[in-house]
Amino acid sequence: MRRARFITFEGIDGSGKSTQARLLAAFLKAQGESVLLTREPGGSPGAEEIRRLLVEGPPERWSPETEILLFTAARRDHLEKTIEPALAQGTTVISDRFADSTRVYQGAARGELRHIVDTLHDAVIGREPDLTFVIDMDPGEALRRGLARKSGEDRFEDMGESFQHRLRDGFTALVRDNPERCHLIDGTRDPDKIAEDVAKIALETA
Ligand code: ADP
Ligand code: TYD
């Protein structure tokens, strides 16, 4: 039996994270592994309530400081109620976004606030994934894909394309600084081709 792992997908909006998280969950389940697919912000009833506060409404609804507190509050609930219990039972957890999103998004919006992100993470989260896939692609194309969904959850997409470029740079730097757990994946190809690469890496690090 493979050990239960904590796997995350990261990347800019519309890059294909949810699609790839779903495909990896299906692949591992087909191999007989117990898998829980979850997401942030959200992933527990309380965190899903906080999610609505974060993803709906105009971009200026929250200051960056308030946003960091809300994302971290949602993450703490998700960790306590969903992620840790599943891992303790031997279930692999695949999360569509986790702490790297706060580092990159809130860091990209206001770089000087990164110390607040890191301090809060150390104080109340304190957990890193075993494996992180960063789906990389051109922000213009990803934005078109994302907005085409018309989900009504476009508060961050509405911050515009230059913000998405800063995010892409932030995710690239994240992979460079954390090579032991982060893998940069070319997200411009066919979903099934991307999923093959992801599955291969997931098996290698099992
Ligand atoms: P994210 O979770 O990163 O926002 P999604 O997985 O929801 O991205 O994908 C955004 C949109 O792009 C969806 O409509 C999805 O069907 C489509 N999509 C996902 N992956 C690909 C791909 N490799 N090529 C083309 N379209 C894709
Ligand atoms: P998500 O539903 O994953 O959006 P998408 O499917 O468009 O990628 O996440 C909602 C938004 O919240 C997304 O724009 C990224 C943002 N976000 C942060 O800014 N910080 C965070 O810590 C997280 C988890 C998400």
Side-chain angles (χ1 to χ4, degrees):
M1 269 305 271
R2 286 199 282 270
R3 73 187 169 97
R5 284 148 295 146
F6 179 30
I7 302 173
T8 59
F9 282 83
E10 297 281 0
I12 59 176
D13 302 273
S15 56
K17 296 176 302 299
S18 317
T19 303
Q20 292 304 320
R22 217 168 35 239
L23 290 172
L24 180 63
F27 172 79
L28 293 178
K29 277 184 192 166
Q31 298 221 327
E33 197 166 325
S34 168
V35 179
L36 178 80
L37 181 59
T38 185
R39 69 162 181 186
E40 286 207 357
S44 63
E48 288 289 336
E49 287 191 35
I50 299 172
R51 175 188 177 92
R52 277 196 292 282
L53 299 174
L54 281 159
V55 297
E56 296 173 7
E60 67 283 2
R61 183 175 186 186
W62 306 112
S63 73
E65 290 85 348
T66 312
E67 218 170 79
I68 292 168
L69 291 167
L70 288 171
F71 277 118
T72 308
R75 179 160 308 126
R76 173 71 197 206
D77 196 61
H78 185 209
L79 194 64
E80 277 177 18
K81 308 269 174 59
T82 304
I83 298 174
E84 283 176 342
L87 290 170
Q89 284 181 356
T91 295
T92 285
V93 175
I94 300 178
S95 186
D96 182 352
R97 297 194 186 280
F98 188 65
D100 293 322
S101 280
T102 315
R103 293 179 179 123
V104 171
Y105 275 73
Q106 280 62 49
R110 290 272 299 277
E112 76 278 15
L113 298 183
R114 178 60 193 267
H115 70 283
I116 300 182
V117 173
D118 292 341
T119 303
L120 278 176
H121 181 85
D122 291 347
V124 298
I125 307 296
R127 173 156 211 144
E128 298 301 338
D130 299 302
L131 181 60
T132 298
F133 294 102
V134 176
I135 314 287
D136 181 58
M137 66 176 300
D138 171 63
E141 180 58 29
L143 205 56
R144 278 186 289 282
R145 275 190 195 172
L147 290 175
R149 281 178 304 190
K150 299 212 181 350
S151 64
E153 292 190 338
D154 297 330
R155 189 170 155 258
F156 287 87
E157 276 100 331
D158 288 346
M159 291 184 187
E161 202 169 317
S162 73
F163 180 61
Q164 298 290 329
H165 278 278
R166 288 207 299 285
L167 294 176
R168 187 190 199 182
D169 294 344
F171 280 117
T172 310
L174 179 88
V175 175
R176 192 190 56 224
D177 296 343
N178 298 275
E180 66 301 336
R181 73 172 167 93
C182 292
H183 295 262
L184 197 67
I185 303 289
D186 173 5
T188 55
R189 298 163 299 152
D190 185 75
D192 291 338
K193 283 271 170 292
I194 301 170
E196 276 174 27
D197 286 4
V198 166
K200 187 161 171 278
I201 295 168
L203 290 182
E204 279 166 4
T205 39

